[in-house]
Amino acid sequence: MVLNYIFVAFFVIAFAIGLFRLIVLGDTEVFPAMMNSTFDSSKTAFEISLGLTGVLALWLGIMKIGEKGGVVNVIAKLLSPVFTKLFPDIPKGHPVTGSIFMNIAANMLGLDNAATPLGLKAMEQMQEINKAKNEEIKQKNPSADLEKLNATATNPMIMFLVLNTSGLTLIPVSIMVYRAQMGAAQPTDIFIPILLATFFATLAGIIATCLYQRINLFNRTLLLTLGGMCVAVAGIIWGFSQMDKETMDAVSTGTANILLMTIIVGFIVAGVRKKVNVYDAFIEGAKEGFQTAVRIIPYLVAILVGIGVFRASGTMDALIDGMRWSVAACGFNADWVGAMPTALMKPLSGSGARGMMVDAMTTYGADSFIGRLSCIFQGSTDTTFYILAVYFGSVSIRHTRHAVACGLLADLAGIIAAIAIAYLFFG
């Protein structure tokens, strides 16, 4: 529904601005430019989708090997001590714990197709726990509104969704694929910056939710885990800050490529150890990659055409120029403003933000500061409102309590971190 309003707004606002420029300013070129943009943008969208096919098939094939090789299960076991502290209201040993672990682990590995069904299953299981507790409340207090209680989000539900909306991802495959398609010299150079930005977004989301839910952040397990991760990230940032730009680019790209290659080989070895037919698993995943590339064509065409018309009318440039002037007037560097459409769109729509990211790389260049920053924005958080709508809607939750506030705080932290990290790596 949100994307529908955004799509309509692109065209209506562009048309209104076009009329203003034609009638008031006498600009006779604005409407031809807008119409030309529809054809150019739709062609670009199709070419991008077509070019994505091979790389998507490759990576989804590798991911399928890792999935069948038990990598997701291994990550779930590693996360178990921490997650039991983050979800204290879930009974120990309840099956929902496995679903939560599997969903988060699948998200971290970029297995979107596997993550969503697991997430919906986890929500259903948490709602079963919720209903059981509410039945007990109703028995003790007959005046309690059982329907309202069942439609109210529980603490575990909110923590689970904030972890999803903060978008912690270890392998930003799709973003690297788009960068490759848009002609980036080193498509993987945003790997470590995205990893750092999404870490800060997730950390902010966890802390905010823990404060709302009065979860003890100084618990030994949480303190050691979160503190250890913070120290590791601080060490990475300090290490890179000591390098000159050329060395930083070389080390960042080299490390990213080594890590990715290690993951690929690790997935294959895990598949062999589990006696998985690695080749067949790869083919199965590769088929999904082809289907995914075809499936995104209409979505990419729709959003890129809308953005193209919006930009051709002059509205996008006016908004960015206004924001840039405001930031500069306050005495701050405004180089990052051109990437802000991606950041502002991300909480609302994944496909809309993806379109903004592609538009930024098309307009400014894949290896420009704005092009890279837009990619970091895209990878630093997830689609907050979409995730809340789908997951809460699946179990008929209407009262979301502090879920939106915590999700948006995570988004804000991700945006701020993305800007700072982009300047560190590419500024």
Side-chain angles (χ1 to χ4, degrees), residues 59 63 71-72 74-76 78-79 104-112 166-176 188 190-196 198-199 202 229 233 255-256 259-260 263 267 379-380:
W59 276 102
M63 291 298 184
V71 175
V72 174
V74 171
I75 294 179
L78 292 174
L79 293 175
I104 299 299
N107 271 324
M108 291 171 70
L109 292 174
L111 300 172
D112 294 338
S166 62
L168 182 60
T169 303
L170 295 180
I171 313 174
V173 174
S174 61
I175 296 174
M176 292 189 291
T188 59
I190 43 77
F191 178 82
I192 291 178
I194 286 178
L195 187 62
L196 294 174
T198 190
F199 166 77
T202 301
M229 292 173 68
V233 169
T255 303
L259 285 174
L260 290 172
I263 289 168
F267 281 13
S380 61

Side-chain angles (χ1 to χ4, degrees), residues 53-208:
T53 306
V55 188
L56 274 176
L58 165 65
W59 276 102
L60 288 182
I62 295 295
M63 291 298 184
K64 182 61 70 174
I65 295 172
E67 183 183 349
K68 291 194 172 185
V71 175
V72 174
N73 289 328
V74 171
I75 294 179
K77 290 179 181 178
L78 292 174
L79 293 175
S80 178
V82 179
F83 275 59
T84 53
K85 303 300 181 184
L86 292 177
F87 300 93
D89 293 343
I90 293 178
K92 192 173 182 179
H94 194 281
V96 69
T97 305
S99 298
I100 291 173
F101 292 158
M102 293 285 283
N103 167 266
I104 299 299
N107 271 324
M108 291 171 70
L109 292 174
L111 300 172
D112 294 338
N113 292 335
T116 300
L118 290 167
L120 295 177
K121 181 180 179 181
M123 288 296 290
E124 291 173 2
Q125 292 170 319
M126 283 187 280
Q127 181 67 327
E128 290 173 4
I129 297 173
N130 184 33
K131 288 182 176 180
K133 288 183 178 179
N134 293 337
E135 288 290 347
E136 295 178 2
I137 293 174
K138 182 68 174 178
Q139 290 177 1
K140 295 178 181 179
N141 181 14
S143 63
D145 188 341
L146 188 60
E147 182 178 348
K148 182 177 181 180
L149 289 173
N150 289 337
T152 301
T154 64
N155 284 350
M157 289 180 183
I158 294 173
M159 178 64 78
F160 175 63
L161 290 190
V162 169
L163 287 173
N164 271 268
T165 60
S166 62
L168 182 60
T169 303
L170 295 180
I171 313 174
V173 174
S174 61
I175 296 174
M176 292 189 291
V177 169
Y178 278 105
R179 284 186 56 74
Q181 181 61 21
M182 297 302 294
Q186 291 290 346
T188 59
D189 60 6
I190 43 77
F191 178 82
I192 291 178
I194 286 178
L195 187 62
L196 294 174
T198 190
F199 166 77
F200 284 112
T202 301
L203 182 64
I206 290 174
I207 291 174

